[in-house]
Amino acid sequence: MVDRIASWRHAWMAVGVAEPDAALLAALLARYAEAQRAYHTLQHLDECLALFEAVSACAERPGEVALALWFHDAIYDVQSRDNEARSAAWAREALLAAGVDGAAVARVVQLIMATRHDVLPLTVDAKLLVDIDLAILGAEASRFAQYEQQIRLEYAWVAPAVFAAKRAAVLAGFLARPRIYATDALFTRLESPARANLQAAILQLGA
């Protein structure tokens, strides 16, 4: 289990500023604990932070990647299309208020926006962040099955047939990529199980 407090403090130290008032951390944790969430929760945040601890040596600017992970799902409304932009805006405001350098803030914002997964990441840190966010696809079969159930709960308002078709299309999109994971470290570790999980899920969805 990741030590959230240690992770939080280390991230701010790594970008060269003092840890902000405890109210910011409390507000973030409260967001990840919102009732409408089933997957984009503290469990997901903890999994991301734990994996980052294991691969942080791959980052060019680890503090920025860590802060991007903390904020990447800070705002989550399943029926909204601007969650990443709103999360990035909150991060920008918080980091600037804490005294983080403007160039670093801009990079963190871009990292958060990379988690839209609508374009392939280009920078070293964006590749690492996106791979960490997508690590769930290569999780053990039981955790992946739980993840799929959690996503269905978040979209409980969508009719079953519609959900199955749209979800299968999303998963097939990842499966169609030449490689799901851009970093060598996570490609080696997660690519094969991710492809097996995706294929199984698509079959289960009936697509």
Side-chain angles (χ1 to χ4, degrees):
M1 177 65 68
V2 69
D3 184 336
R4 290 180 196 147
I5 302 299
S7 171
W8 176 252
R9 290 175 175 168
H10 187 266
W12 291 101
M13 288 176 57
V15 295
V17 301
E19 177 189 352
D21 183 274
L24 176 60
L25 176 58
L28 273 173
L29 294 177
R31 285 286 189 167
Y32 281 98
E34 290 169 334
Q36 83 276 9
R37 301 176 184 236
Y39 170 67
H40 297 86
T41 62
L42 289 168
Q43 179 188 24
H44 171 56
L45 176 63
D46 286 348
E47 288 173 341
C48 287
L49 295 174
L51 180 55
F52 177 64
E53 285 185 0
V55 298
S56 59
C58 299
E60 290 186 334
R61 299 179 177 90
E64 295 174 15
V65 177
L67 288 173
L69 285 170
W70 270 99
F71 279 92
H72 80 286
D73 284 325
I75 305 296
Y76 187 71
D77 176 355
V78 73
Q79 299 192 49
S80 175
R81 296 189 177 185
D82 65 350
N83 290 320
E84 293 84 4
R86 293 167 63 199
S87 297
W90 187 5
R92 180 189 294 111
E93 178 184 358
L95 269 61
L96 288 174
V100 178
D101 174 74
V105 174
R107 288 191 294 268
V108 171
V109 166
Q110 289 304 308
L111 288 174
I112 294 170
M113 293 304 294
T115 64
R116 287 177 57 87
H117 304 298
D118 53 352
V119 295
L120 294 178
L122 298 177
T123 69
V124 169
D125 285 348
K127 290 176 181 179
L128 182 62
L129 179 84
V130 168
D131 279 4
I132 291 171
D133 193 31
L134 294 179
I136 188 64
L137 300 181
E140 293 184 0
S142 60
R143 175 64 184 107
F144 180 80
Q146 181 189 45
Y147 157 68
E148 284 295 291
Q149 293 169 356
Q150 291 168 334
I151 293 296
R152 183 66 185 109
L153 286 172
E154 290 187 343
Y155 286 89
W157 50 278
V158 178
V162 174
F163 175 84
K166 290 187 177 293
R167 183 63 180 163
V170 169
L171 299 181
F174 287 116
L175 196 57
R177 293 182 180 184
R179 54 189 287 171
I180 297 167
Y181 299 100
T183 61
D184 290 340
L186 293 181
F187 177 87
T188 300
R189 177 173 173 175
L190 300 174
E191 187 79 13
S192 292
R195 291 191 174 277
N197 285 336
L198 290 169
Q199 290 168 347
I202 291 169
L203 285 174
Q204 188 170 1
L205 288 163

